[in-house]
Amino acid sequence: MNDFSAEPTAPVTADIVLPCLDEATALPWVLGRIPDGWRAVVVDNGSTDGSADIARALGATVVHEPQRGFGAACHAGLLAATAPFVCFCDCDGSLDPALLPGLVSPVAQGESDIVLGRRRPERFGAWPAHARVGNIALSRMLRARTGLRLRDLGPMRAARREALLALDLTDRRSGYPLEMVVRASDAGLRVTERDVPYLARTGTSKVTGTWRGTWHAVRDMRAVLRRPPAAPTGTGTVRAGARR
């Protein structure tokens, strides 16, 4: 089922965390696709191409995170968020922020606790073959560890802010997105997927664009999967639910 255009039945607002490292070329399009009334939180992770100034000029809230790492940028954005719903989205033009209301909808309606965007490439080459193979292997390892039947662990996702804070995420590198899912599963949160189109990114990926970046990501994620289940110490309330 194609659910690219699904939206909430009632208006909601959210903060969108956009981790950013040298994305000056993609930022105008990405920020131009932010849903009306939603806030873009661009977390600059040491850009040298003027990304922060461009984002600020286009109306985004800019947060500077000096600690390098995808997880460090994402978590800084989560801590800076104030809306009841928080979304995450890459800042490279590969994912369309205008589709995020469709991910927030199941959370707002109480049907899911965390919704992930399952990437569906729009054209050949948008998602490198080695990255797709790695994602499949990771999904299988995740299923063995948690029982979750997810087909993608993509960077586009939505959840309630308090639920995410209660997970007490600690990874500050490439393992952050996986740690979020693992800890959510351990806490009994319902994690589901919705299809989203995956476009050719602008520029070169810092992770899947290089073998070194891919190796670092795999190493970080394997470390997350090896950790024993730990009950979050936050104050959020979690509920067990159906998994798919």
Side-chain angles (χ1 to χ4, degrees):
M1 176 180 178
N2 185 320
D3 47 17
F4 294 165
S5 61
E7 295 183 355
T9 56
V12 297
T13 59
D15 286 341
I16 305 175
V17 176
L18 298 158
C20 177
L21 178 59
D22 293 331
E23 302 291 2
T25 304
L27 273 168
W29 182 83
V30 171
L31 294 178
R33 301 291 293 172
I34 301 297
D36 291 342
W38 292 33
R39 184 172 68 129
V41 180
V42 174
V43 184
D44 186 72
N45 202 207
S47 298
T48 59
D49 65 350
S51 288
D53 292 336
I54 292 172
R56 192 176 294 108
L58 292 172
T61 297
V62 176
V63 175
H64 292 278
E65 175 49 58
Q67 180 181 349
R68 282 294 185 95
F70 183 75
C74 287
H75 202 69
L78 174 60
L79 295 179
T82 57
F85 300 98
V86 176
C87 301
F88 295 85
C89 184
D90 274 354
C91 205
D92 58 13
S94 62
L95 294 163
D96 186 353
L99 300 177
L100 282 167
L103 271 66
V104 170
S105 178
V107 181
Q109 295 176 21
E111 300 169 358
S112 182
D113 297 303
I114 297 180
V115 180
L116 310 181
R118 182 196 179 196
R119 293 168 289 185
R120 304 301 296 269
E122 288 290 276
R123 67 177 180 81
F124 180 78
W127 195 356
H130 66 275
R132 297 182 69 174
V133 171
N135 188 72
I136 292 171
L138 188 62
S139 296
R140 290 175 178 172
M141 288 188 286
L142 176 69
R143 179 180 176 185
R145 164 65 173 77
T146 67
L148 287 171
R149 296 174 177 269
L150 300 176
R151 294 162 291 181
D152 187 17
L153 294 169
M156 178 178 270
R157 49 191 61 191
R160 290 186 182 274
R161 175 176 172 272
E162 291 302 322
L164 293 178
L165 291 173
L167 297 178
D168 298 311
L169 302 175
T170 60
D171 193 285
R172 295 297 181 263
R173 294 174 61 88
S174 300
Y176 187 89
L178 177 62
E179 183 187 30
M180 183 186 295
V181 174
V182 170
R183 289 211 173 192
S185 177
D186 290 347
L189 292 176
R190 297 163 298 173
V191 183
T192 57
E193 295 179 314
R194 282 203 170 192
D195 288 344
V196 294
Y198 194 50
L199 312 172
R201 63 155 289 142
T202 300
T204 302
S205 171
K206 287 79 176 177
V207 179
T208 58
T210 66
W211 284 106
R212 181 180 179 183
T214 301
W215 183 85
H216 281 300
V218 170
R219 181 195 62 184
D220 294 343
M221 292 179 181
R222 281 180 175 173
V224 169
L225 290 170
R226 285 197 298 264
R227 294 171 195 161
T233 59
T235 58
T237 301
V238 298
R239 296 176 299 170
R243 297 168 178 168
R244 74 180 200 186

